Amino acid sequence: MTVQADSRTYDFDANVAGPVLGIPPLSVPKFDAPELTPLRKPLGDATVGLLVTCGAYYPDQKRLEQRSDLSYRLLPRERDLSEVLFAHMTPIRAFALADANVAYPRDTMLDLERAGVIGRYADRAVSMVGSISQYDELATETAPRIVDEFTAMGVDLVLVVPFCPQCHVAGGVLARAIERRGLPTTSLTTLHRAASAVKAPRATFLDFPLGCPGGRPREVEQQRAIVRAALETGAAVDPAGPWSLRRLPFRWAADGNRDWETLVTDLYRVDNEIRGSVRANLNAHVMSLAGQEKEFTIRCAC
């Protein structure tokens, strides 16, 4: 739980996109600051919903597609987490396979409810695979349905948890669209360049490996502290103030070493040599918002 003393971040483009995958840098739209919907309740009284993009689902639910799937699954708050599966095939899913809470922090949310940090964790989480580039449909069709789901559960604030690089764009678009439809959001991100450009409402940044927004696998106390900090930091944002990406004060390693950067790069390298799933996923994402951000935000109200 040591305060991060520097401002370094993992550069996906420099470490993975070019040298490992031989692809251009991730296409990331640069949005203006979003309009915020004020929180109706203090965090300690609020019902908090969870929106994850790791593709979590249960065996008796229809599997989510690996990419370009605008559907979602509702995950009950009390169901055994050992049964959960992940449809997102990104190489960094290895962390979630070791501990589901790093990508789908359900146990963490229940712990925060019991501790009184939040009023209540919602009855169901919303889970998608964030490898999506149908941005118009995502903002104008999927986001309103998600708002309806959470509104029916009495949710006051939604925690959005992007997973892979593409998830940071799709998750940011979703967060902005949900916010503009009257439901406050806050996002817990791990890819600094994408998060800074998309500007999801009340976003926080955790300098941890991609795939681990909820903390280090099996480090329960750290996971709880990270998600608590993200929620409290997001809830404290002044809706009238300037947008900023608030960095959370946690280190992956107690001594501050950044060996985890090599681990993340190696996960992508091995996957590229064996499956090539990231390159295949890139070929499926032919749409980009870069260069049409203003038109998109007007058209899609986000």
Side-chain angles (χ1 to χ4, degrees), residues 9-23:
T9 64
Y10 181 74
D11 190 332
F12 178 84
D13 295 323
N15 287 284
V16 175
V20 174
L21 303 177
I23 61 176

Side-chain angles (χ1 to χ4, degrees), residues 87-172:
H88 202 315
M89 297 305 291
T90 175
I92 54 171
R93 72 195 298 264
F95 295 110
L97 293 176
D99 181 358
N101 279 287
V102 305
Y104 167 40
R106 193 284 307 271
D107 290 347
T108 307
M109 297 297 288
L110 289 173
D111 284 347
L112 294 178
E113 176 188 290
R114 286 189 285 267
V117 175
I118 62 175
R120 190 172 188 276
Y121 172 52
D123 290 336
R124 292 173 297 280
V126 172
S127 173
M128 303 182 69
V129 172
S131 294
I132 297 168
S133 58
Q134 305 102 301
Y135 299 114
D136 283 62
E137 295 92 335
L138 188 65
T140 63
E141 299 175 14
T142 304
R145 292 199 299 268
I146 291 174
V147 170
D148 289 344
E149 298 280 8
F150 281 135
T151 299
M153 295 181 236
V155 166
D156 302 295
L157 175 68
V158 177
L159 175 62
V160 181
V161 186
F163 195 42
C164 77
Q166 183 65 31
C167 292
H168 277 72
V169 179

Side-chain angles (χ1 to χ4, degrees), residues 8 13 28 37 45 99 111-112 116 163 171 215 218 221 245 254 268 274 284 286 293:
R8 289 177 293 176
D13 295 323
V28 179
T37 297
D45 297 328
D99 181 358
D111 284 347
L112 294 178
F163 195 42
R218 296 179 295 276
E221 290 187 9
L245 183 61
Y268 279 96
I274 296 174
V286 296
E293 291 90 346

Side-chain angles (χ1 to χ4, degrees), residues 2-296:
T2 309
V3 172
Q4 183 77 356
D6 58 56
S7 59
R8 289 177 293 176
T9 64
Y10 181 74
D11 190 332
F12 178 84
D13 295 323
N15 287 284
V16 175
V20 174
L21 303 177
I23 61 176
L26 179 68
S27 178
V28 179
K30 296 181 179 179
F31 288 120
D32 292 334
E35 295 181 17
L36 300 190
T37 297
L39 288 170
R40 298 186 296 271
K41 297 179 181 178
L43 186 61
D45 297 328
T47 295
V48 180
L50 184 61
L51 169 56
V52 299
T53 67
C54 58
Y57 71 105
Y58 282 99
D60 57 341
Q61 295 177 317
K62 182 180 178 182
R63 181 187 176 93
L64 288 153
E65 299 295 328
Q66 294 181 27
R67 62 186 69 90
S68 302
D69 186 350
L70 291 166
S71 69
Y72 54 83
R73 304 293 177 264
L74 297 174
L75 310 180
R77 59 175 261 144
E78 301 288 357
R79 187 161 179 177
D80 189 346
L81 202 58
S82 67
E83 299 176 22
V84 79
L85 303 170
F86 294 95
H88 202 315
M89 297 305 291
T90 175
I92 54 171
R93 72 195 298 264
F95 295 110
L97 293 176
D99 181 358
N101 279 287
V102 305
Y104 167 40
R106 193 284 307 271
D107 290 347
T108 307
M109 297 297 288
L110 289 173
D111 284 347
L112 294 178
E113 176 188 290
R114 286 189 285 267
V117 175
I118 62 175
R120 190 172 188 276
Y121 172 52
D123 290 336
R124 292 173 297 280
V126 172
S127 173
M128 303 182 69
V129 172
S131 294
I132 297 168
S133 58
Q134 305 102 301
Y135 299 114
D136 283 62
E137 295 92 335
L138 188 65
T140 63
E141 299 175 14
T142 304
R145 292 199 299 268
I146 291 174
V147 170
D148 289 344
E149 298 280 8
F150 281 135
T151 299
M153 295 181 236
V155 166
D156 302 295
L157 175 68
V158 177
L159 175 62
V160 181
V161 186
F163 195 42
C164 77
Q166 183 65 31
C167 292
H168 277 72
V169 179
V173 167
L174 266 177
R176 292 174 66 101
I178 291 170
E179 185 92 19
R180 283 294 301 273
R181 285 156 179 80
L183 182 56
T185 66
T186 185
S187 296
L188 177 50
T189 70
T190 55
L191 194 61
H192 195 275
R193 182 174 79 87
S196 298
V198 177
K199 295 183 177 63
R202 303 180 185 83
T204 54
F205 170 70
L206 178 69
D207 184 37
F208 270 36
L210 282 162
C212 294
R216 190 165 180 156
R218 296 179 295 276
E219 296 282 347
V220 176
E221 290 187 9
Q222 183 200 65
Q223 292 171 1
R224 188 181 302 120
I226 286 170
V227 177
R228 175 175 185 164
L231 288 168
E232 291 180 340
T233 301
V237 168
D238 179 1
W243 186 91
S244 65
L245 183 61
R246 293 155 177 82
R247 188 182 185 113
L248 298 180
F250 302 94
R251 285 176 170 169
W252 179 261
D255 63 2
N257 81 72
R258 301 182 68 85
D259 293 348
W260 60 266
E261 293 191 348
T262 301
L263 174 59
V264 172
T265 302
D266 286 345
L267 286 172
Y268 279 96
R269 179 176 291 110
V270 171
D271 176 88
N272 189 51
E273 293 174 356
I274 296 174
R275 294 189 304 151
S277 63
V278 179
R279 289 182 64 89
N281 188 56
L282 175 73
N283 292 334
H285 294 304
V286 296
M287 297 178 62
S288 173
L289 289 176
Q292 52 177 314
E293 291 90 346
K294 289 188 181 297
E295 296 87 344
F296 175 79

